[in-house]
Amino acid sequence: MKFSEQFEARFAEMLTHYPTKRSVLVPTLLYAQDELGLLTGGAVREIARRLDLTELEVRNVISYYSMLTTQPRGKYHVQVCTNIACMLRGADDLFSHCKNKLGIGHKQTTPDGRFSLEEVECIGACSWAPALQVNYDFHENLTADKVDKVLDEYGKRLE
Ligand code: FES
């Protein structure tokens, strides 16, 4: 398994910031996923080897965090929070709105590979609920109209 020079530079630098190798696991997984689009079996094995962990330990962390995936996703991964603060401010309707607009359900990807959708637990934006996240971008205080604008804007970036 070979990563880019940029990945290697980031990985080497991260190791200098923490007392144990294990501490760099999550950022390393995120960098690898950004580079590969998903965490492949080869990436999991390589990262486990480098950090002196078992593959199972790495996979346990991947399965815990919704932002990490071993499955392919759309170019823009839309994560709609339906946890309590967002739910009280209409998140269930917004999630249904996203499903209708994109024509896909939870953990599905549009046939053209542009968008994937996921219902997630709290994303830490409760004060501005309801909120969703597209890749690393947060969008808050949402209404159905705002969601349309947000998704249309990402769609335009791919044209
Ligand atoms: S409950 Fe939705 S961001 Fe916290």
Side-chain angles (χ1 to χ4, degrees), residues 35-55:
E35 192 160 305
L36 304 170
L38 73 161
L39 292 163
T40 63
V44 170
R45 273 190 295 284
E46 177 62 16
I47 290 168
R49 185 189 67 75
R50 289 184 187 207
L51 300 182
D52 297 329
L53 298 169
T54 65
E55 283 184 46

Side-chain angles (χ1 to χ4, degrees), residues 80-87 91 120-132 138:
V80 181
C81 172
T82 56
N83 213 291
I84 187 69
C86 291
M87 184 191 77
V120 296
E121 300 297 326
C122 181
I123 56 175
C126 317
S127 297
W128 306 277
L132 63 75
F138 282 77

Side-chain angles (χ1 to χ4, degrees), residues 4 12 17 38 40 46-47 50 52 75 89 104 111 132 135 146 149 151 158:
S4 69
H17 290 280
L38 73 161
T40 63
E46 177 62 16
I47 290 168
R50 289 184 187 207
D52 297 329
K75 172 87 175 153
R89 298 196 21 103
I104 53 176
L132 63 75
N135 296 355
K146 281 187 183 173
K149 285 193 186 112
L151 296 180
L158 297 170

